[in-house]
Amino acid sequence: MDYLKNVVPSQLVAERGSNLVVINPGSASIRIGLASHDAPLIIPHCIARRTVGANQPPRRTVQDQMLNSQVTTAQHLEREKAYDTIASLLKIPFLDEEVANTYSRKVARVDGSGLANSKKDPAFTWTNVFEKNPDASSALEVSANNTVNKDYSDQYKASEYREMKVHGGYRYKECIYGEEALKISPTEPYCLRRPIRRGHFNVSLHYPTQQVLEDLCAIWDWILLEKLQIPLTERNMYSAILVVPETFDNREIKELLSIVLQELRFSSAVVHQETLAAVFGSGLSTACVVNIGAQVISVMCVEDGVTLPSTGITLSYGGEDISRCLLWTQRHHQTWPPVRTDALSKPIDLLMLNRLKETWCQIKEGETDAVVVVHSYEDGMTPGTHKTRLTALNVPPMGLFYPKLLVQEVYPPPPCTWFHDHEDMLEDTWLTEYVRRPDSDVFFHAMSGGLPVWESYPLFTAKPKKEDNLGLAEAITKSILSTGRLDLQRKLFCSIQLVGGVALTTGLMAAVEDRVLHVVPSTEAIDAVEVLQPRTNPAYVSWKGGVVLGILDFGKEAWIYRQDWIEGGVFVGSNRKYKDSYFIQAQPMCYINS
């Protein structure tokens, strides 16, 4: 104890964090790194696998491209109405209002030089999908290397080049990970997979559970080996800290534990809740945590280091929806270049839109325009550069408060077999009745009551409530008021913590304070709202909190050891439970792994 009183915090982190790997998985990115590091690696959570016969129709370059992304007439009208509401708040022209512009709407393709009035971002380059074939002769390798630097922008020459590479000492990579996977040309024989979507495993009829788990394991193993230099043979000397989103259910947490302990061979692991980790990462004890991710927003209150389950709310939109809204806004104002930009089927376009959003989108009153460089990525072609003036850049991020502006794509639901976990001793799915919808072959739970099938599963009763049409300000207000205690409500309204990459948006903190104060009912005795200034980078504050929780956990009573998990899980009644989460307590521990 005397040692703990005198030790310097940085020394404690260095000593106890050198063999702790903190993993914070998300829908779009994964934050992972050693606890002794100052910041984690933030890597796109995806994998591209080479496909056989990919050039024969129908081709699928993205595993999810069969989803329904069409905007209905009703959604379009609601989006336009939401735009006009935002325009009146920001004091800018309405959507279809004629504006006496002093600049031209013309778009010009440029060579990328001489852009004095715009911020110049380099274009993304197509990923090299080839690797050296160790079985090929050295003569063929030399022949191939002599042609690597030639310009093959022409599609015919590019095809000829690929054939030469495959037969000239090179071969296709079987798997490509992270950002490189997002930058693969659609002409290449690869299919991109995202194992987590909207806060859940991306299980569907087109993406079976086994493939999702294999892809998760492959991505994490690649990061550990290539980025952290931790080979499989040495992982028994490391422990893993899983910082999981509130949207994950017990079965998903169980599968992650199996991946970490069985497949990746960590010696032990512990699970912490993302909201609680965010509070510890900021050095707080009580706060209303608003986690704004790429695809999901979760709101939950924490009091004295304990999460309050009744305050949990999940919103099914996030930063990527803002990026797509940015594209829609510019196309409506005819400021977007005449190029084929598709954020759903071309991941590299979504990368570009995310970068434009992070650089230029902000929340402030008045017209917000900027001269920017937009890049076009045509199949098999050299990226094009277009100089244009984008307008209404303060509208897309306001979609967080008016979600009808953000028309989310529709994903197919998981097959009914996903909802039946034969290893769960607490689940009575054999009593569950499933019905077939008349216009579909997918089975739905009979008690759905009109809600999406994902939330109708009985195990989700203790999970945060999902509110699709609720704005961010309304969600925060509803979460805090549900605590039922005036003293705590006043404290939480003055302790709102924004985390996640979108929290870095300029003007968002002031907008949250203004909109929350506006929507608080007049009958409530609340006269002040404050968003706390971030003490740690909001993009990875939950990961940092996982570091703090792991290093300060000297007793390790909640840790699960590899051999215990493989031989039969940790049973109910033992002392080894999750003590910091309301829904991860003993339930994931009662699985008997056979």
Side-chain angles (χ1 to χ4, degrees):
M1 199 50 111
D2 293 336
Y3 168 75
L4 294 179
K5 292 180 180 179
N6 300 323
V7 69
V8 179
S10 58
Q11 180 183 352
L12 185 65
V13 171
E15 291 177 357
R16 295 180 56 83
S18 59
N19 65 339
L20 294 177
V21 178
V22 183
I23 305 173
N24 180 206
S27 299
S29 300
I30 177 174
R31 290 155 290 276
I32 183 173
L34 289 171
S36 56
H37 292 171
D38 294 332
L41 299 170
I42 303 179
I43 300 172
H45 211 177
C46 58
I47 179 175
R49 293 187 181 271
R50 188 172 72 89
T51 56
V52 179
N55 292 323
Q56 299 177 1
R59 293 187 71 244
R60 294 177 60 187
T61 56
V62 179
Q63 190 77 13
D64 297 325
Q65 69 182 12
M66 298 181 68
L67 52 84
N68 177 22
S69 60
Q70 299 300 318
V71 178
T72 64
T73 303
Q75 288 175 326
H76 185 72
L77 293 175
E78 290 177 344
R79 169 181 268 183
E80 291 183 341
K81 184 179 179 181
Y83 185 103
D84 289 341
T85 302
I86 294 171
S88 65
L89 290 173
L90 299 178
K91 300 177 182 179
I92 61 176
F94 293 137
L95 188 62
D96 295 321
E97 185 177 347
E98 291 294 330
V99 185
N101 293 317
T102 57
Y103 56 87
S104 173
R105 293 284 191 186
K106 292 183 180 179
V107 178
R109 176 164 178 152
V110 297
D111 59 0
S113 60
L115 301 177
N117 297 325
S118 64
K119 184 175 179 178
K120 182 180 174 184
D121 289 319
F124 295 110
T125 57
W126 296 115
T127 297
N128 178 19
V129 298
F130 297 100
E131 62 183 359
K132 285 188 177 182
N133 188 350
D135 298 330
S137 63
S138 58
L140 290 176
E141 289 185 11
V142 171
S143 175
N145 286 331
N146 290 335
T147 59
V148 166
N149 295 324
K150 290 185 178 180
D151 183 10
Y152 284 95
S153 59
D154 181 79
Q155 193 165 359
Y156 173 77
K157 289 184 178 180
S159 176
E160 186 182 62
Y161 174 59
R162 287 195 298 271
E163 290 295 324
M164 182 275 299
K165 291 274 282 186
V166 171
H167 296 94
Y170 286 78
R171 64 183 180 187
Y172 283 113
K173 299 176 182 176
E174 291 299 321
C175 297
I176 301 176
Y177 308 88
E179 185 173 312
E180 293 299 308
L182 298 175
K183 298 187 294 184
I184 297 177
S185 171
T187 60
E188 301 293 357
Y190 286 87
C191 182
L192 183 75
R193 299 175 178 179
R194 297 181 177 92
I196 299 179
R197 273 288 195 184
R198 298 290 180 190
H200 285 291
F201 284 2
N202 191 14
V203 177
S204 69
L205 295 174
H206 311 291
Y207 199 2
T209 306
Q210 189 61 33
Q211 289 186 10
V212 171
L213 300 179
E214 288 178 0
D215 290 343
L216 275 173
C217 183
I219 295 170
W220 294 11
D221 184 64
W222 171 76
I223 296 174
L224 292 169
L225 187 61
E226 299 294 332
K227 301 297 183 179
L228 299 180
Q229 283 77 48
I230 305 177
L232 190 64
T233 55
E234 296 180 6
R235 288 179 199 162
N236 60 341
M237 297 184 291
Y238 291 83
S239 298
I241 302 171
L242 281 172
V243 181
V244 298
E246 283 69 28
T247 53
F248 276 16
D249 64 63
N250 295 327
R251 181 180 180 184
E252 290 167 325
I253 297 168
K254 183 207 74 169
E255 299 292 358
L256 291 183
L257 281 170
S258 294
I259 289 175
V260 166
L261 294 175
Q262 289 185 283
E263 307 299 333
L264 301 181
R265 300 186 184 179
F266 281 94
S267 62
S268 59
V270 68
V271 179
H272 289 296
Q273 204 172 337
E274 203 170 47
T275 293
L276 191 70
V279 170
F280 275 85
S282 298
L284 304 172
S285 61
T286 300
C288 176
V289 180
V290 184
N291 192 343
I292 312 176
Q295 299 177 7
V296 172
I297 299 175
S298 62
V299 183
M300 187 170 291
C301 298
V302 178
E303 180 186 13
D304 295 331
V306 179
T307 55
L308 305 178
S310 61
T311 64
I313 296 177
T314 299
L315 309 175
S316 59
Y317 52 86
E320 289 186 357
D321 300 290
I322 297 176
S323 299
R324 284 192 286 267
C325 181
L326 171 65
L327 176 61
W328 171 80
T329 303
Q330 304 311 315
R331 280 178 169 169
H332 189 90
H333 288 291
Q334 299 180 1
T335 59
W336 195 256
V339 296
R340 188 175 64 89
T341 304
D342 189 348
L344 291 177
S345 63
K346 291 173 63 180
I348 196 170
D349 283 341
L350 183 59
L351 268 181
M352 175 192 63
L353 288 170
N354 284 336
R355 187 166 66 179
L356 288 174
K357 174 201 66 180
E358 294 166 2
T359 304
W360 300 108
C361 283
Q362 54 185 299
I363 298 179
K364 69 174 186 178
E365 289 187 356
E367 296 187 44
T368 306
D369 303 330
V371 177
V372 306
V373 174
V374 174
H375 297 102
S376 59
Y377 301 92
E378 301 296 336
D379 298 351
M381 302 288 288
T382 302
T385 303
H386 309 267
K387 181 180 178 181
T388 182
R389 180 185 291 272
L390 302 183
T391 186
L393 293 170
N394 50 350
V395 171
M398 285 295 290
L400 295 173
F401 305 99
Y402 299 90
K404 290 184 178 180
L405 184 72
L406 312 173
V407 181
Q408 300 93 37
E409 68 278 25
V410 179
Y411 293 98
C416 63
T417 53
W418 166 255
F419 299 100
H420 189 89
D421 190 351
H422 299 278
E423 297 177 347
D424 190 350
M425 296 190 302
L426 299 182
E427 178 189 341
D428 292 331
T429 51
W430 58 276
L431 294 175
T432 304
E433 180 184 356
Y434 292 92
V435 296
R436 185 190 300 271
R437 200 171 65 184
D439 58 342
S440 173
D441 291 333
V442 179
F443 284 90
F444 286 80
H445 191 275
M447 299 174 60
S448 62
L451 296 175
V453 62
W454 190 259
E455 279 69 36
S456 64
Y457 183 46
L459 197 59
F460 281 72
T461 54
K463 302 303 297 301
K465 298 176 289 292
K466 183 177 179 181
E467 303 280 357
D468 287 330
N469 296 321
L470 206 61
L472 182 60
E474 289 82 0
I476 295 172
T477 303
K478 184 177 180 180
S479 175
I480 295 177
L481 292 180
S482 65
T483 59
R485 289 165 40 202
L486 181 59
D487 59 331
L488 180 59
Q489 290 171 358
R490 288 178 172 175
K491 189 174 184 179
L492 290 172
F493 272 115
C494 292
S495 304
I496 299 174
Q497 181 187 9
L498 301 182
V499 302
V502 184
L504 296 169
T505 303
T506 302
L508 180 59
M509 293 176 58
V512 169
E513 292 177 347
D514 178 69
R515 298 310 303 163
V516 170
L517 190 60
H518 178 77
V519 301
V520 172
S522 57
T523 56
E524 301 292 340
I526 304 298
D527 53 6
V529 175
E530 182 181 355
V531 176
L532 301 176
Q533 292 289 336
R535 303 178 183 179
T536 308
N537 190 325
Y540 56 81
V541 64
S542 295
W543 178 90
K544 200 68 177 178
V547 172
V548 174
L549 289 168
I551 290 177
L552 296 181
D553 188 3
F554 288 92
K556 290 195 172 184
E557 295 179 355
W559 289 70
I560 307 149
Y561 295 91
R562 183 172 187 268
Q563 203 60 34
D564 293 340
W565 184 258
I566 292 176
E567 291 180 355
V570 181
F571 296 97
V572 175
S574 68
N575 292 326
R576 234 169 259 150
K577 304 175 183 178
Y578 298 127
K579 297 183 178 180
D580 58 88
S581 171
Y582 68 92
F583 69 90
I584 316 178
Q585 290 181 353
Q587 295 185 17
M589 299 300 94
C590 63
Y591 296 95
I592 300 179
N593 295 348
S594 56

